Amino acid sequence: MSSGLALPTIQVIEPAVYFPPPPPPLDPQALPHTGMLHLDDAAGQASAHLADAAGQAVHQAADAALQVLGSLSGVLLVGRAALLGTRLLAAGAVRAAEEQRCLERRQRLAATAAEQWEAAAFAAARFNARRGALLARAARAAAHGGPPGPPPVPDVPPPLAPVGERLADLRQELARVEEALRHAEERQAAWEQRRLTALLRLDEERDDDWQRALRESRQRALRRFTAERTADAEARQLPRQADARRVPAALDPEEVRRTGAEILGALDPYAAADTAELAAGAVRDAVRRAADDPRRARIHLTEARKFVRDANKQAQETREAQERAALHHDFLSYATPEGAEDLAPAPDAVALLRRTLDEGTPLTPAERELVERRVEERQRALEAIYIRERCADAVAELARRFGGPAGAGRPEGQDIRLDWTPEGWDPDHWLRATLTGGRLRVATMYRGGPGERTPEQRALDDARCAETLERLAEFEEITGALGLDLEFRVERTEGAVPGVLGENALVLDGPAETGRPSGARRDERREEPRHRTVDGDGRR
C-alpha cells in the first residue's frame, strides 16, 4: 500500500476535547526531530478521552455527570447552537431538564455523554442569548425613556461559561439561572406593557371602566407571555396569535368597550408602538361608532384584532432575531484560550450584530447572509481543528496500543502531519498521515530517497504495506470511538514511499509531486504503475 485517502467528518462532538497549542512549523533544514511535537506522552492523554484503554468513547449517564467540558468541544457546541433556530435550542433545554430529572430519580439514560452535553450546551447557549437580548432591550429602553419612568435594571446572573464545568453542576446551575432570567424578563415585560398603556386610551375624560377592563386583560396577557417563555413552551408552540374569538353579533357601546379592551390587552408586551397605535385607533373608532353604526363598529374591532395579531407576530419574530443576534455575537467574538492558535476575526459581522443589539435595527437580508456566512466559516475552521486533534489522538492511541514513537508537525500547506513508527518497524519504515483541506492521506514510508530498491527491500516494503492495512482498520475503529466518521479508500501497490522521518519530507503522492527537489523526479511513465493515489474523484 502506498497511500490511502479518507474524508473525516464529525459524527458526534465528544465533550472532553481541549484546544491544542498549534504544532510548530517545520524548518526544512532542521534535524529530523526538530519541529516535532512528540506524542509518546500524548498517548496517555488521548486514551484519557476514552472510556477505557481499548478506546471506548461511549459513556453512560453516571460517567457523563462527572465529565468536564473541554474548551474546543464547548465552542464547537456553541457554534452548532448558532446554526440552529431558537426553538431547537429550547428543545435542547427541555432534554437537559429531563435528563437531570432522570438522574435525580436514579433512572438510567440511554443517551451518550456527547448527547447529554449537547443538550446542556444548547440550554446554556439559549440562556446566554436570552440574557444578552434582554440586557440590550433594557439598555435601549433606558436610553429612550418612557411614560412609566426608567425601566427596571435587569437582575440576571452572569453568562454561563460551561467550559471546565461538570455536567451535573452545569445542569443545576441551568435550573437556577433560568428561573432568575424568567423573573427578569417578566419585570421587563410588565414595564413594556405599561409603556403601551399610554397609547391605549379612549378619547374620553372618564374611562375608569375602560382602564379596569384593559388592566385585567393585560394581566392575563402578561401571565400568558411568562408561561410561553419556558423552554418546554418555546420548543412546542406555534407563533402566538391574538384571541380568535368572534366579535359579538349584537353590539352596544359597553360591549364594544369590553371587547376592545380584550383585544388591546392581548398585545404582546414587546409589540411595536406604531402597530399598537393602529390597533388602539381602530378600537377608538369602534367605540365612537357603536351607538350609531354597530356594523361599522364591528368592522373596526375586526380591524383592531388584525393589527394586534400582526403586532404579536412581529414582536415574537423581533425577539427571536434579537436572541439569535446575541448568540451569533457571542460566537463570533469568542477568543481562543491563551497559547492556542487564533481564529480568523469577523469584524464586519460583529459590528452589524452589535448595531442590532444596541439600536434594535434589524439586519437586512444581505447583512443577515453575511453574518450567517461568517458563522459557518468559523464553525468550519473549528471543525478542522477538532478533526486534526482527534486524528492526532487516534495516532497516539495506536502508539499506545502497539508501541513505537509518534510525532506531529505542521509543514506549510498542511493542517497536520503525523508520523508513527510501529514497534518493530524501526529503522527502515514508518506510517505518515497528512491532513490537508479536510483530506486525510496515509502512506507507508521508507527511509531514503527515490531510487531502485533491492528485492529484499521490496519484499520488506510489501510486508509493511500489508501490516498497514490492519493498522488502517484499527485507525478507523479508534476514530469512530472518538466521534469521527472516517473510512479509508486504499490503493495497493508494489512498494512504499520514500521520505525522511520527522522532517518536511516529500511524500510522493498527489500535490506533493510538484515540490520534489531537482533531480528527484522519476520518469512519469515508470512512476504510474508503482504509485497511484486516490484523488478527489474518489470521494464517498
Side-chain angles (χ1 to χ4, degrees), residues 159-180:
L160 287 175
V163 171
E165 292 287 329
R166 294 193 314 165
L167 181 57
D169 297 336
L170 177 59
R171 284 189 180 127
Q172 294 175 357
E173 183 69 3
L174 274 169
R176 185 186 70 81
V177 299
E178 285 276 3
E179 184 68 11

Side-chain angles (χ1 to χ4, degrees), residues 134-195:
L134 174 64
L135 292 176
R137 175 87 184 191
R140 295 197 304 270
H144 298 149
V153 177
D155 182 16
V156 292
L160 287 175
V163 171
E165 292 287 329
R166 294 193 314 165
L167 181 57
D169 297 336
L170 177 59
R171 284 189 180 127
Q172 294 175 357
E173 183 69 3
L174 274 169
R176 185 186 70 81
V177 299
E178 285 276 3
E179 184 68 11
L181 180 63
R182 186 178 66 83
H183 288 306
E185 286 181 330
E186 186 176 9
R187 288 191 294 270
Q188 180 68 24
W191 182 90
E192 300 276 0
Q193 205 175 53
R194 290 196 300 274
R195 180 184 59 83

